[in-house]
Amino acid sequence: MNYKVIDKETYYRKGVYRHFTQDCKCSTSMTARIDVTELKAFSDRTNTKFYINFLYLLTKTLNAREDYRMGYFWQTDELVCYDIIHPIQYIFHEDTETCTPVYTTYRPDYATFYRSCAEDIQKAKESREYKLDAENHPNWFDASFLPWLSYDSLNIELPDGYLFFAPIVNWGAYREEHGRLMMPLSVRLNHAIADGYLVAKVFRLLEEELQRFVGDGKAETSPLSK
């Protein structure tokens, strides 16, 4: 885990950061639908899992800007930016209706990430343990898939005054709308390090990453064949 300490006196969001860490501690969240028609087609064509493909693109997107890689050390009152962040994904067990959290390491190479993520999922299905270890995984963000509903709104509530800066991202089932597959996506960020523009920017950057991914010729080969 590598990070840099941000000088709060020269931080470009200095005034906003002070206000939302001292006067009004709160978060900001947004839900919108994204078009995943081409990603679903790619997944079917390459015999890969849509879920893992989307998780890869989401994680790549959140690593694209420092604003999404921020952290807070309450012991020293330090604002930091991690070099890289990784997803905590959750595997659902139908028989017990419980989840197993999985700390998956992000690797920029798609095929490497895909294989590693698939292995993590299989291990979680076998272990079925609920082990959260936030203390040893400070630069991990929550990434939860809610396959039971194509919802319109979702809110994540944290304790008042809790300066938690990692993104919290949820997405639901896609549904057909006017011939396209539209999927609800919810993004929560602490208001001290992100405003409406930066939350909305996640959706725009993700759409760009998705378009590049499905349009990239080298992505046509399934990582399962390597």
Side-chain angles (χ1 to χ4, degrees), residues 7-33:
D7 183 351
K8 287 182 284 190
E9 290 303 312
T10 58
Y11 180 37
Y12 87 104
R13 293 177 55 85
K14 174 184 176 181
V16 177
Y17 181 85
R18 188 208 64 77
H19 176 63
F20 287 108
T21 56
Q22 298 180 27
D23 305 329
C24 180
K25 298 177 182 179
C26 65
S27 63
T28 179
S29 61
M30 191 177 299
T31 296
R33 295 188 182 278

Side-chain angles (χ1 to χ4, degrees), residues 21-51:
T21 56
Q22 298 180 27
D23 305 329
C24 180
K25 298 177 182 179
C26 65
S27 63
T28 179
S29 61
M30 191 177 299
T31 296
R33 295 188 182 278
I34 61 171
D35 190 334
V36 295
T37 308
E38 301 304 330
L39 183 61
K40 177 61 167 60
F42 164 84
S43 302
D44 292 343
R45 189 167 60 249
T46 57
N47 193 31
T48 55
K49 299 291 186 182
F50 173 89
Y51 168 81

Side-chain angles (χ1 to χ4, degrees), residues 1-4 69 71 73 80-86 134-140:
M1 177 190 67
N2 295 314
Y3 62 87
K4 65 179 179 181
R69 294 186 272 116
F73 295 166
V80 303
C81 177
Y82 295 106
D83 289 352
I84 191 171
I85 57 175
H86 314 274
E135 183 176 352
N136 293 311
H137 298 82
N139 56 323
W140 263 256

Side-chain angles (χ1 to χ4, degrees), residues 5-210:
V5 177
I6 303 297
D7 183 351
K8 287 182 284 190
E9 290 303 312
T10 58
Y11 180 37
Y12 87 104
R13 293 177 55 85
K14 174 184 176 181
V16 177
Y17 181 85
R18 188 208 64 77
H19 176 63
F20 287 108
T21 56
Q22 298 180 27
D23 305 329
C24 180
K25 298 177 182 179
C26 65
S27 63
T28 179
S29 61
M30 191 177 299
T31 296
R33 295 188 182 278
I34 61 171
D35 190 334
V36 295
T37 308
E38 301 304 330
L39 183 61
K40 177 61 167 60
F42 164 84
S43 302
D44 292 343
R45 189 167 60 249
T46 57
N47 193 31
T48 55
K49 299 291 186 182
F50 173 89
Y51 168 81
I52 299 180
N53 291 338
F54 179 75
L55 183 64
Y56 168 76
L57 292 171
L58 171 66
T59 308
K60 186 177 182 181
T61 296
L62 292 177
N63 273 287
R65 284 186 66 119
E66 289 190 353
D67 299 288
Y68 309 135
R69 294 186 272 116
M70 306 298 279
Y72 176 71
F73 295 166
W74 63 267
Q75 300 93 332
T76 55
D77 188 32
E78 288 180 307
L79 174 65
V80 303
C81 177
Y82 295 106
D83 289 352
I84 191 171
I85 57 175
H86 314 274
I88 309 172
Q89 54 170 314
Y90 296 85
I91 305 307
F92 183 73
H93 308 293
E94 294 284 351
D95 56 340
T96 60
E97 298 182 347
T98 60
C99 293
T100 295
V102 184
Y103 290 90
T104 293
T105 300
Y106 170 61
R107 294 172 175 84
D109 179 71
Y110 164 63
T112 303
F113 176 86
Y114 189 100
R115 290 192 294 267
S116 177
C117 184
E119 291 174 1
D120 289 341
I121 291 173
Q122 185 57 41
K123 290 177 182 177
K125 289 180 178 179
E126 295 171 358
S127 72
R128 307 173 71 88
E129 297 182 18
Y130 192 91
K131 283 188 176 181
L132 280 175
D133 185 20
E135 183 176 352
N136 293 311
H137 298 82
N139 56 323
W140 263 256
F141 71 93
D142 275 87
S144 299
F145 175 40
L146 309 175
W148 312 281
L149 186 69
S150 183
Y151 61 84
D152 294 311
S153 179
L154 184 147
N155 294 304
I156 299 293
E157 303 294 338
L158 295 181
D160 290 342
Y162 185 40
L163 299 180
F164 182 79
F165 290 170
I168 298 178
V169 184
N170 300 84
W171 64 99
Y174 51 73
R175 71 187 185 202
E176 185 174 344
E177 297 179 10
H178 306 293
R180 307 296 292 179
L181 298 179
M182 306 301 294
M183 187 175 76
L185 178 71
S186 302
V187 179
R188 180 268 182 198
L189 287 164
N190 191 288
H191 213 334
I193 51 93
D195 50 23
Y197 170 79
L198 287 172
V199 178
K201 189 71 174 178
V202 174
F203 295 85
R204 295 293 174 255
L205 291 174
L206 179 57
E207 288 172 341
E208 293 173 4
E209 284 293 347
L210 195 156

